[in-house]
Amino acid sequence: MSLTAVEPPEIQLSPASVRRDGTPRSYSVRTLGCQMNVHDSERLSGSLEAAGYVPADSAEAADVIVINTCAVRENAANKLYGNLGHLAGVKREREGMQIAVGGCLAQKDQGAIVEKAPWVDVVFGTHNMGSLPALLERARHNAEAQVEILESLEVFPSTLPTKRDSASSGWVSISVGCNNTCTFCIVPALRGKEKDRRPGDILAEVQALVDDGAIEVTLLGQNVNTYGVEFGDRQAFGKLLRAMGGIDGLERVRFTSPHPAAFTEDVIAAMAETPNVMPVLHMPLQSGSDTVLKAMRRSYRSKKFLGILDAVRERIPHAAITTDIIVGFPGETEEDFADTLRVVEASRFASAFTFQYSIRPGTPAADMDGQLPKAVVQERYERLQALQERISLEENHAQIGRTVEVLVSAGEGKKDATTRRLSGRGEDNRLVHFAVPEHGDEPRPGDVVTVAITAAAPHFLIADSAIDPSEAARRFAVRRTRAGDAWDRRQAQSCGVPAPAEAAAPAPRVVNLGLPTLRTR
């Protein structure tokens, strides 16, 4: 039976969401980790608001603080317990405050979290995010910590209510879990085997996001391009990308992260032939050494990886390709590392997320011979970073003079107040800081501006074409969008004032996406 066919319980108003004076208790969610965690945090926020909680004015002032954890890297636990150590003192001064810990590290460490930090009230795992409001109520009623970790997924997280961070963009999970056995990765043990959503449910969620004002969607999966393995369709992901092209009002589609071993020609064709699928690809390399890739149990080799990049660039010449790389995997020799540098040079990545290998207990790599000294790993890491910084700068310099469309961001801020720069993302997901004419139309977050790139740095582009009088008319334009209207509505709701006329349509703070509602046990 399909996982999404199981009817989940409904989230009801919780007595724990109300203070003694009758006012609603506030919450804050802190996210540690990847895009999956960001998406999960939106579900946690939505579930809490469905139960009657309200967002805190500031994180420190919250009645309930939820930490959504990651377990992929060694410093994940350090970050968690650093946060918890600080919160211990805050909680002592604030009667009724509750602390909850969820996510991958909670799934892994379970009751050990309460042993190390007995002031934590709730620990929940990756398979029962919807239980958080009930667990908070149970902890309050019983006056003791509640630890609930399920070993398998009962309901798909995307059936939970969501509180989206952005009016213009949304995350849509198409699968959870992973069927691979990479020796460095603990994710399959924490999130389980891959479970795929039905295409109709995915399209319904995307349509609901678009109806709510979003114009950009990112499809998420641990190995997003293996989507369909559960129902036996190897071309399901390419078909899903093409279906995105049929959703009216959806302007930008992205996805992360694919696996090179499963990346096929039909997906490249779907990317190239579907206008709203953006020219950007995140393709994790991990290592350029075939010996290390074999030890990692990555079922591809460097030649295949480079061949994928060539095929993508042949069909999508302006594609920006990014990657993940691990330095210092057990047994990595200087020759192996040189192979990584060679592949990075050949790949011309727009940017790379580079990591020093760290032992994760419970993974096969943790017990491998050849663990490298920290000093060796650090020196190689610095060489890799220097190489990628040079390549990123060169690739960004190649963008100078290009005219690009930028989706204006609410959260990435002004780069330079003296030039009235705002920020946003180009179609290829490069960060662009752009100048606004002094007396021109200032875009709202969610609007799209057309600008010309005038300068570059390794991690961002600058577009000052708007403040050159000779270029302003044709090198700067603002297109007001439904996403900008949605941002106006949010601002009006938060300030308690009427929305502008063009943004008068109602927009709920919590979106249920037209899928089954949930009730707590």
Side-chain angles (χ1 to χ4, degrees), residues 5 23 32 39 62 67 182 187 189 208 222 230 286 295 324 335 389 394 400 411 418 420 461 465 497:
T23 58
L32 309 177
H39 180 55
I67 304 177
C182 301
V187 168
Q222 209 67 51
E230 196 178 19
Q286 306 302 4
D324 298 328
E335 182 179 4
E389 286 278 301
E394 291 170 355
I400 295 175
T418 62
R420 302 184 70 239
L461 303 172
S465 56
V497 299

Side-chain angles (χ1 to χ4, degrees), residues 360-401:
R360 304 309 296 137
T363 63
D367 299 320
M368 286 183 175
D369 294 333
Q371 304 287 335
L372 299 181
K374 168 67 175 174
V376 172
V377 178
Q378 180 69 35
E379 190 272 337
R380 290 178 184 173
Y381 176 75
E382 290 172 1
R383 271 193 282 159
L384 175 61
Q385 278 201 315
L387 172 61
Q388 185 55 53
E389 286 278 301
R390 173 177 64 77
I391 294 171
S392 294
L393 181 59
E394 291 170 355
E395 291 297 304
N396 280 355
H397 265 292
Q399 307 303 309
I400 295 175

Side-chain angles (χ1 to χ4, degrees), residues 29 36 68 88 93 104 107 124-125 138 200 207 209 236 252 262-263 277 286 289 293 301 329 388 408 422 439 479:
V29 179
M36 280 286 193
N68 188 17
E93 302 298 321
C104 289
Q107 186 79 23
F124 62 100
R138 198 186 305 164
Q207 185 65 63
L209 290 171
R252 297 185 173 196
F263 204 75
V277 175
Q286 306 302 4
S289 162
L293 287 172
R301 299 297 176 256
F329 188 79
Q388 185 55 53
V408 183
L422 300 177
H439 302 294
R479 177 165 61 85

Side-chain angles (χ1 to χ4, degrees), residues 63-116:
D63 297 304
V64 174
I65 293 180
V66 184
I67 304 177
N68 188 17
T69 65
C70 172
V72 173
R73 287 177 288 281
E74 186 177 25
N75 65 355
N78 296 335
K79 286 184 178 179
L80 170 62
Y81 291 108
N83 271 268
L84 292 178
H86 170 71
L87 290 174
V90 176
K91 186 176 181 180
R92 281 193 294 269
E93 302 298 321
R94 303 209 28 232
E95 182 182 0
M97 178 181 171
Q98 290 183 298
I99 300 170
V101 178
C104 289
L105 196 62
Q107 186 79 23
K108 173 179 172 288
D109 288 357
Q110 303 189 12
I113 292 175
V114 174
E115 293 177 10
K116 295 178 181 178

